[in-house]
Amino acid sequence: MDYWLYLMLIPGLLYFLVFKYIPMWGIMLAFKDYQPFSGFWGSPWVGLKHFERFFTDPSFWLLFRNTFIIAFYNLVFYFPLPIIVALLLNEIKNEVFKRLAQTFIYVPHFFSWVVISGITYIMLTTEGGIVNQVIEFFGGEKINFLLSEKWFRTMITTQVIWKETGWGTIIFLAALAGVDPSLYEAARMDGASRFRQLIHITLPAIRSTIIIMLILRLGNFLHIGFEQIYLMLNGMNRNVGEIFDTYIYTNGIQRGLFSYTTAVGLFNSLVGLVLIVVSNTLAKKFGEEGVY
């Protein structure tokens, strides 16, 4: 028996037990009318009351639309980029340049959203922002990106692309490292161009990794990220920027509607669960492994 290997599992198991499974008891708040003085168990059971309130609230469709559109933008415009960048890095033969390039594109991942938001404000502000200075230099008029409903979703998606694309390449580069070099040698001997090698060897080799990452991404489809959106929200763009996560914070933390916002969060998670199950089932039907 490999006792040391089982011993090394303990920290990971404890993490999931303490931070993932035990807190799941809190889901019961969604079916109770939580009263702090009555406590968790003493609060009255109300069934689906909070779900009914949420689904009949006029803000439900606004929140759903905003969350879905931003999540869709991230899926369409961000998800393919780590794959493309990983393929480009894989083609670089100079190891020194390759390592430097990887380091530079990894760095933004380690910036907090507070820093990213600060950089965004500095670059896009109408009072001396470099982007508006360039627009004026070429004869255009200043654009108030920070207060514009039109530019909000584009701005959010661009932030995600800049911050996370480099970090997202790590898994795909690891998958590319496992491709048998003899396949490329055989393809070159048959006269295959670099593009043909990419289409017929590289992409098929990492296809299962792409599918798994896509399924996992769909599982977090509606979980865009509270901090990023909250920092960029203001009174002028709230109509297109308010999402489930910021709504939960506003009503749950600031207004103390713990049971109601637990119901909202549970709905959000259930959507992710359904997307994972459906996408995993479809992946298996098309001959892929899936995540389970």
Side-chain angles (χ1 to χ4, degrees):
M1 296 287 291
D2 297 317
Y3 295 108
W4 287 107
L5 292 178
Y6 287 110
L7 191 64
M8 291 171 66
L9 280 174
I10 292 175
L13 292 174
L14 285 175
Y15 167 79
F16 280 99
L17 179 66
V18 173
F19 294 104
K20 301 295 182 181
Y21 287 100
I22 293 178
M24 287 180 71
W25 284 103
I27 291 173
M28 290 177 63
L29 278 182
F31 307 96
K32 288 174 168 281
D33 189 7
Y34 178 68
Q35 305 294 332
F37 293 105
S38 301
F40 184 82
W41 299 108
S43 298
W45 188 271
V46 295
L48 300 176
K49 172 186 171 182
H50 300 301
F51 293 94
E52 292 173 3
R53 174 185 170 186
F54 179 53
F55 293 141
T56 56
D57 192 310
S59 62
F60 170 75
W61 288 110
L62 173 70
L63 294 169
F64 187 84
R65 185 187 70 228
N66 291 344
T67 307
F68 182 86
I69 291 175
I70 295 174
F72 181 76
Y73 279 15
N74 286 341
L75 185 66
V76 172
F77 297 108
Y78 162 70
F79 181 77
L81 286 179
I83 303 169
I84 295 169
V85 174
L87 293 172
L88 293 173
L89 288 171
N90 191 57
E91 293 297 316
I92 299 175
K93 302 306 178 186
N94 187 317
E95 285 298 319
V96 175
F97 179 76
K98 183 177 180 179
R99 298 299 177 192
L100 282 173
Q102 285 178 276
T103 301
F104 281 120
I105 64 175
Y106 290 168
V107 167
H109 170 78
F110 298 99
F111 294 163
S112 71
W113 281 116
V114 176
V115 174
I116 300 293
S117 299
I119 293 172
T120 304
Y121 274 95
I122 291 170
M123 293 186 66
L124 299 182
T125 180
T126 54
E127 304 300 324
I130 187 170
V131 174
N132 276 306
Q133 286 182 353
V134 171
I135 292 173
E136 280 191 310
F137 179 79
F138 287 102
E141 294 184 3
K142 289 182 179 180
I143 301 174
N144 200 336
F145 295 99
L146 301 173
L147 300 180
S148 171
E149 290 187 354
K150 177 183 175 182
W151 287 98
F152 180 81
R153 291 163 181 159
T154 303
M155 186 169 57
I156 293 297
T157 308
T158 304
Q159 285 180 333
V160 173
I161 289 172
W162 183 70
K163 186 177 188 295
E164 301 296 347
T165 295
W167 189 253
T169 63
I170 293 176
I171 291 177
F172 297 109
L173 284 171
L176 288 168
V179 181
D180 189 352
S182 64
L183 295 174
Y184 293 108
E185 293 174 10
R188 283 194 294 269
M189 290 179 65
D190 288 338
S193 64
R194 297 286 283 273
F195 182 74
R196 287 288 183 184
Q197 292 174 41
L198 172 69
I199 297 298
H200 297 290
I201 299 175
T202 308
L203 286 177
I206 64 171
R207 183 177 60 192
S208 60
T209 304
I210 295 172
I211 296 296
I212 290 172
M213 294 306 296
L214 178 60
I215 293 171
L216 294 176
R217 183 75 184 178
L218 287 172
N220 289 310
F221 186 70
L222 296 183
H223 290 279
I224 299 170
F226 159 77
E227 189 177 358
Q228 179 197 10
I229 303 295
Y230 184 75
L231 289 168
M232 299 306 299
L233 273 182
N234 55 60
M236 300 299 292
N237 59 29
R238 189 169 294 275
N239 241 5
V240 297
E242 186 82 82
I243 60 171
F244 288 125
D245 291 337
T246 55
Y247 182 77
I248 289 170
Y249 171 78
T250 303
N251 288 275
I253 304 300
Q254 295 183 344
R255 296 178 58 191
L257 302 176
F258 301 113
S259 293
Y260 175 64
T261 50
T262 301
V264 178
L266 181 57
F267 164 76
N268 211 2
S269 299
L270 286 174
V271 172
L273 175 63
V274 170
L275 287 173
I276 279 186
V277 172
V278 171
S279 57
N280 192 76
T281 303
L282 289 174
K284 286 191 171 183
K285 282 190 175 182
F286 285 101
E288 300 297 332
E289 292 181 4
V291 294
Y292 61 87

